[in-house]
């Protein structure tokens, strides 16, 4: 993986973030908020954080800013609209007798530098209407289009999709 | 509440069916992945929502399941797509002169 940039080292806020994530996961899995579970979960999360954080350099891509949760919420809203549109679009294609598809491959550049940022962007592209992330090379994501209508500038269309997600992802990921 | 839950379960089943249909109808691996990933992701989320309405006390675990599905499903699809891309398999192209090409793909390497 020589083409992926070095991750920045984790800082103390990142350790706190990983701890909070693990703790939240514990509480969701336990499903109750008794004092017993809160204390035990805290201890387990602390141990897990200390042991696993050196291997979780991918979390270095998270921007810990005060407005990050707002961007995350906006991203989720944007993402779910795209997901539902993708499904209706795919349902229409599958059900129409002529199977209106015309596949093609396009590469798109991304401004997100962290591994986590690119992962999220590639995942988002996979779940949007008519596109599938095939490969990530450096800062280029290879995208498969299910319907490349002749006459449409695919490069521009792909950039537009990526830019829509990047605008929201950039708020909380590097 | 029961009716709403049933509705979401039905939508989930419908999208699972669509995705299976897509797997059958699409001509090559890339397009099968396209059909499979999207519909199954939304179908599974719809299932989870329906079950959450039926058993509200399970919401925390269901939320975790939904999160994992949302995160791992596209990763799995992209991994398969990357593998066949690195193996040198090209995407299927519709032959311009032959509108019936769909019924008889010249060479189905993905099979």
């Amino acid at each position: 993986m020589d083409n992926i940039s070095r991750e920045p080292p984790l800082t103390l806020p990142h350790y706190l973030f990983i701890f909070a994530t693990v703790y939240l996961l514990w509480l969701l899995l336990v499903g109750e908020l008794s004092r017993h579970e809160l204390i035990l979960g805290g201890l387990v999360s602390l141990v897990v954080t200390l042991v696993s954080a050196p291997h979780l350099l991918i979390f270095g891509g998270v921007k810990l800013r005060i407005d990050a949760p707002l961007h995350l919420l906006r991203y989720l809203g944007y993402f779910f609209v795209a997901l539902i549109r993708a499904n209706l679009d795919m349902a229409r294609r599958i059900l129409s007798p002529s199977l209106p598809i015309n596949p093609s491959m396009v590469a798109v550049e991304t401004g997100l530098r962290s591994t986590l940022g690119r992962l999220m962007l590639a995942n988002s592209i996979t779940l949007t209407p008519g596109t599938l992330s095939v490969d990530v090379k450096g800062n280029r994501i290879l995208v498969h289009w299910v319907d490349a209508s002749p006459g449409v500038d695919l490069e521009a269309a792909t950039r537009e999709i990526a830019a829509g997600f990047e605008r929201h992802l950039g708020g909380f990921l590097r | 509440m029961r009716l709403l839950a049933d509705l979401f379960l039905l939508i989930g089943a419908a999208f699972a069916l669509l995705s299976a249909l897509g797997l059958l109808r699409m001509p090559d691996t890339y397009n099968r992945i396209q059909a499979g990933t999207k519909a199954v992701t939304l179908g599974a989320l719809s299932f989870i929502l329906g079950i959450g309405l039926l058993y509200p006390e399970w919401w925390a675990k269901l939320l975790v399941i939904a999160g994992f599905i949302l995160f791992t499903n596209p990763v799995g699809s992209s991994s398969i797509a990357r593998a066949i891309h690195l193996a040198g398999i090209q995407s299927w192209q519709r032959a311009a002169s032959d509108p019936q090409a769909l019924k008889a793909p010249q060479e189905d390497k993905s099979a």
Side-chain angles (χ1 to χ4, degrees), chain B residues 82-104:
Chain B
R82 180 166 190 268
I84 60 168
H85 176 68
L86 291 183
I89 293 173
Q90 300 295 315
S91 182
W92 171 87
Q93 299 291 334
R94 188 184 292 277
S97 56
D98 182 12
Q100 294 302 308
L102 183 67
K103 282 178 184 149

Side-chain angles (χ1 to χ4, degrees), chain A residues 40-88:
Chain A
L40 188 61
L43 284 176
V44 171
S45 306
L46 190 66
V47 172
V48 168
T49 305
L50 290 179
V51 171
S52 64
H55 307 287
L56 290 175
L57 286 179
I58 194 169
F59 274 94
V62 178
K63 266 188 207 168
L64 294 164
R65 290 203 321 230
I66 200 77
D67 60 343
L70 188 71
H71 286 286
L72 177 63
L73 279 182
R74 267 206 226 125
Y75 163 72
L76 284 178
Y78 186 83
F79 171 77
F80 274 107
V81 171
L83 178 61
I84 291 169
R85 272 184 45 221
N87 275 278
L88 297 180

Side-chain angles (χ1 to χ4, degrees), chain B:
Chain B
M1 196 55 101
R2 181 62 210 255
L3 199 67
L4 200 61
D6 286 348
L7 186 67
F8 276 115
L9 290 176
L10 199 64
I11 292 173
F15 274 115
L17 176 70
L18 273 179
S19 137
L21 204 60
L23 287 183
L24 281 176
R25 291 204 66 199
M26 287 299 185
D28 78 345
T29 316
Y30 295 106
N31 294 302
R32 285 195 184 117
I33 293 172
Q34 290 248 21
T37 323
K38 296 180 222 286
V40 160
T41 309
L42 193 70
L45 290 183
S46 182
F47 265 133
I48 288 173
L49 194 59
I51 293 170
L53 287 172
L54 277 183
Y55 301 94
E57 67 273 18
W58 290 357
W59 71 268
K61 286 190 181 70
L62 292 173
L63 192 66
V64 174
I65 296 172
F68 278 127
I69 287 179
L70 266 182
F71 214 76
T72 54
N73 227 342
V75 171
S77 308
S78 292
S79 305
I80 300 172
R82 180 166 190 268
I84 60 168
H85 176 68
L86 291 183
I89 293 173
Q90 300 295 315
S91 182
W92 171 87
Q93 299 291 334
R94 188 184 292 277
S97 56
D98 182 12
Q100 294 302 308
L102 183 67
K103 282 178 184 149
Q106 311 88 325
E107 197 181 356
D108 197 3
K109 287 180 188 167
S110 64

